[in-house]
Amino acid sequence: MKYSIKRQMLALFTGAVALVIVMMFIINSSFMERFFIQNKKSEMVELYETLDKTAKKNDIDSAEMQEELQRQCERKNCAVLVLNSGSDITFNTEQEKKGRLFTRLIGYIVGKDTGQLLEERDSYKIYKVKDQGRGEEYMDMVGQLADDSIFIIRSPYGSIYDTVNSTNKFLICGGGVTVLCGLLFVWFFSQKITKPILELAELSQRMANLDFNAKYTSGGENEIGILGGNFNLMSKRLEETITELKRANNQLQKDIEQKEKVEDMRNEFLGNVSHELKTPIALIQGYAEGLRDGITEDPESMEFYCDVIIDEANKMNQMVKNLLTLNQLEFGDEDLEITRFNLVGLIRGVLASCEILLQQAEAEVDCVTEEEVYVWADEFKTEQVFRNYLTNAIHHVDNEKRIEIRIIPQGDTVRVTVFNSGKPIPEEDIAKLWDKFYKVDKAHTREYGGNGIGLSIVKAIMESFHQQYGVKNYDNGVEFWFELDSKTSKCDSKVQGEET
């Protein structure tokens, strides 16, 4: 990422370290000489004060004092020569008795050798001079002690340049190592910081796509950990809010559609009921009149008459229940409870409850599903749809007696298919399957007690969900299918369009 925090931290650290090194390089090159001169003058003054105190005590000739002065000169990197009032050398750090220091001191006395005056006091002067013979620069302090002795203190000036160059080289080398080690440290440290931030970024993206399974898992008690916890809380509350919004949207859509359907559905309902009840009522009436008129006295025949009456009454009772369910769905009198649930668990539960019917039909079920598939819908009505498809497949399964159930994720939706081996549905009947009381094979339908309402209930439920459903013929059987939302965007967009 071009503007990642990790890259910015690395660039910031590298720039800061480089700036510090450059500043130290400039300071070292520009101000080291001044500091050296000031420091060296302080050391010379300390050495002078020691010599002056020694001269006052007339103790400069003692072996102990000579050793002490020698140690101080070595420590301060200075050469010293002292001449008493009789021109005798009382202290000399040079091996030659009358070497360069002696010559230089005589030059100062006669006024021949002078250099750049750096500081002047009553008892001494400090010069910056250059040795023409060696080409080296020195700092010389020349003056008079308390016992009228004269002295010269010399310290090499050129060492400052060596110090500056050495320090600059050290800064370059040490700075490079520091930058490298620092980059490794910052990279490791930035990993610790950016990892939870990247997790939060991914979490926010998934939340934007309405994926509420996403949770922040890195934890921590710092600011990022608190932010992650708030993300999880926000995700939970957003899911609850969307659930409530779906309920409200479905209620709104139901109210809009209800007024348009009421009158037409009432007339259609009355016509269909009167038509469907005509046959069982006639059968019940005929067999009941036969029993009353004593048409037979055979106990077995009378039992048969009673069984027909009971069977037809049960069929009428089941048909009335289905009609009431369908009426509620079509009139919108039943509220939808939109929730997010595991579709695989629902299907497995229905299969378990229909185990006896499957055994009676000698049908083999092949259920191809994932471990968990979550959808948004009314769980109870989704079970009704699947149960109708499954019982329909059980009643019509033939040939190899195979029923195949599949759950197929398709982006924002999930498709459920129920296939049963057997005869395909005639093409001219497919469009009418979803109409109330329509039967493709009336004899077979009446044999197992069907009344042509099951698929109408499926149609009403799926239209209340605003989802797709259908049927597809194969050479060796029939497949019924329906779809449900796995995300919320489709339902929300539909409701917004209707509100507009």
Side-chain angles (χ1 to χ4, degrees):
M1 295 176 63
K2 185 177 179 181
Y3 301 104
S4 69
I5 294 177
K6 185 188 299 183
R7 180 172 292 183
Q8 293 181 34
M9 290 180 68
L10 291 172
L12 181 63
F13 172 80
T14 304
V17 172
L19 178 61
V20 170
I21 293 173
V22 170
M23 291 297 296
M24 291 179 66
F25 190 89
I26 293 173
I27 291 171
N28 186 63
S29 300
S30 302
F31 301 101
M32 180 63 80
E33 183 177 0
R34 299 180 188 178
F35 175 77
F36 176 81
I37 292 173
Q38 188 62 39
N39 185 61
K40 186 56 67 176
K41 287 195 297 185
S42 298
E43 290 180 347
M44 286 182 168
V45 170
E46 290 178 5
L47 194 53
Y48 158 73
E49 291 175 350
T50 301
L51 290 170
D52 193 53
K53 291 179 181 179
T54 304
K56 289 179 180 179
K57 297 178 179 179
N58 293 319
D59 195 25
I60 197 169
D61 293 329
S62 66
E64 184 178 350
M65 183 53 65
Q66 290 276 325
E67 290 179 5
E68 176 63 27
L69 289 173
Q70 191 72 32
R71 283 195 298 269
Q72 289 192 30
C73 291
E74 291 174 357
R75 189 167 57 249
K76 300 179 186 300
N77 193 23
C78 293
V80 179
L81 177 67
V82 180
L83 295 178
N84 61 16
S85 56
S87 299
D88 295 324
I89 297 175
T90 57
F91 181 73
N92 186 9
T93 58
E94 288 187 323
Q95 294 182 353
E96 296 183 50
K97 194 170 185 180
K98 292 185 178 181
R100 292 180 178 273
L101 280 181
F102 182 82
T103 303
R104 189 67 185 174
L105 180 56
I106 298 301
Y108 279 116
I109 292 172
V110 301
K112 178 181 178 181
D113 295 329
T114 58
Q116 179 185 351
L117 182 63
L118 299 179
E119 186 175 331
E120 182 177 4
R121 292 288 187 269
D122 293 338
S123 55
Y124 63 84
K125 293 180 181 179
I126 300 176
Y127 296 94
K128 176 184 177 183
V129 297
K130 185 172 183 180
D131 190 323
Q132 298 298 332
R134 295 185 176 183
E136 298 178 354
E137 292 183 319
Y138 297 95
M139 284 181 62
D140 289 345
M141 174 185 277
V142 182
Q144 190 173 6
L145 300 176
D147 62 351
D148 294 330
S149 298
I150 58 175
F151 71 92
I152 180 172
I153 301 175
R154 167 169 284 191
S155 179
Y157 191 89
S159 60
I160 181 60
Y161 300 115
D162 296 334
T163 303
V164 170
N165 292 332
S166 299
T167 305
N168 287 340
K169 290 179 181 178
F170 175 78
L171 286 175
I172 293 173
C173 297
V177 174
T178 301
V179 169
L180 180 61
C181 295
L183 286 176
L184 293 175
F185 173 77
V186 171
W187 181 85
F188 176 78
F189 185 70
S190 62
Q191 283 282 98
K192 295 292 185 180
I193 295 178
T194 56
K195 183 179 178 181
I197 294 177
L198 290 175
E199 183 180 350
L200 287 175
E202 181 183 0
L203 174 60
S204 64
Q205 182 64 42
R206 293 177 66 181
M207 287 179 61
N209 294 328
L210 302 179
D211 180 2
F212 300 114
N213 288 327
K215 301 296 180 184
Y216 177 76
T217 57
S218 293
E221 298 181 356
N222 56 13
E223 291 82 352
I224 297 177
I226 295 173
L227 180 61
N230 290 337
F231 261 79
N232 291 342
L233 181 59
M234 181 172 60
S235 175
K236 179 182 177 181
R237 291 183 177 176
L238 186 59
E239 180 178 2
E240 293 173 352
T241 302
I242 290 178
T243 301
E244 293 297 325
L245 179 61
K246 278 183 165 290
R247 292 173 181 170
N249 286 343
N250 279 283
Q251 181 64 38
L252 176 62
Q253 195 160 6
K254 182 180 67 176
D255 292 342
I256 294 173
E257 294 173 353
Q258 184 177 12
K259 291 183 180 180
E260 300 175 357
K261 293 182 178 179
V262 171
E263 191 61 35
D264 291 339
M265 292 179 66
R266 181 183 291 113
N267 294 332
E268 184 181 1
F269 177 76
L270 292 174
N272 287 328
V273 168
S274 62
H275 173 77
E276 289 297 320
L277 292 179
K278 186 183 300 182
T279 298
I281 288 175
L283 287 171
I284 292 172
Q285 182 178 1
Y287 281 101
E289 288 176 352
L291 289 172
R292 185 193 61 185
D293 296 339
I295 195 171
T296 180
E297 294 181 358
D298 181 21
E300 185 175 345
S301 298
M302 295 177 65
E303 184 179 356
F304 172 75
Y305 280 24
C306 291
D307 288 341
V308 171
I309 293 173
I310 293 171
D311 184 55
E312 292 300 323
N314 287 334
K315 291 179 181 177
M316 288 176 60
N317 183 44
Q318 184 61 41
M319 183 178 65
V320 170
K321 289 180 179 178
N322 288 340
L323 285 173
L324 289 174
T325 299
L326 183 60
N327 185 60
Q328 288 178 331
L329 288 170
E330 292 182 335
F331 277 78
D333 292 337
E334 191 169 352
D335 292 334
L336 291 177
E337 294 292 333
I338 302 297
T339 57
R340 184 169 176 268
F341 61 92
N342 183 8
L343 182 60
V344 175
L346 182 146
I347 288 175
R348 288 176 177 170
V350 174
L351 287 172
S353 67
C354 294
E355 183 66 27
I356 295 178
L357 293 177
L358 290 168
Q359 292 176 359
Q360 291 174 348
E362 299 180 350
E364 180 182 349
V365 177
D366 182 14
C367 185
V368 181
T369 66
E370 298 181 10
E371 289 298 323
E372 291 185 346
V373 176
Y374 284 88
V375 294
W376 293 88
D378 186 307
E379 187 172 2
F380 175 73
K381 287 181 172 54
T382 302
E383 181 180 339
Q384 284 184 289
V385 172
F386 179 74
R387 190 179 292 276
N388 271 310
Y389 276 177
L390 182 61
T391 54
N392 188 69
I394 292 172
H395 291 141
H396 292 86
V397 69
D398 202 353
N399 298 337
E400 62 265 33
K401 299 283 187 177
R402 180 168 59 89
I403 297 175
E404 186 176 287
I405 300 166
R406 293 184 181 274
I407 298 178
I408 308 169
Q410 301 181 141
D412 292 348
T413 61
V414 173
R415 173 172 287 198
V416 179
T417 65
V418 180
F419 171 84
N420 67 273
S421 61
K423 296 179 181 179
I425 298 173
E427 291 297 326
E428 62 272 14
D429 291 325
I430 289 179
K432 302 175 184 178
L433 283 176
W434 313 100
D435 295 342
K436 288 187 290 291
F437 306 107
Y438 186 80
K439 308 179 186 71
V440 176
D441 185 349
K442 295 180 174 59
H444 180 65
T445 302
R446 181 162 185 81
E447 180 182 338
Y448 66 79
N451 47 45
I453 301 176
L455 292 180
S456 299
I457 292 175
V458 170
K459 175 184 176 182
I461 291 175
M462 295 311 300
E463 288 182 351
S464 71
F465 288 174
H466 307 287
Q467 296 295 336
Q468 300 297 317
Y469 61 97
V471 60
K472 186 175 180 180
N473 266 332
Y474 290 91
D475 293 338
N476 62 336
V478 181
E479 177 185 271
F480 283 86
W481 60 270
F482 66 95
E483 294 180 351
L484 296 173
D485 273 341
S486 60
K487 294 189 178 180
T488 62
S489 55
K490 291 175 65 179
C491 182
D492 292 344
S493 62
K494 288 178 184 177
V495 175
Q496 290 173 359
E498 291 176 1
E499 289 178 347
T500 303

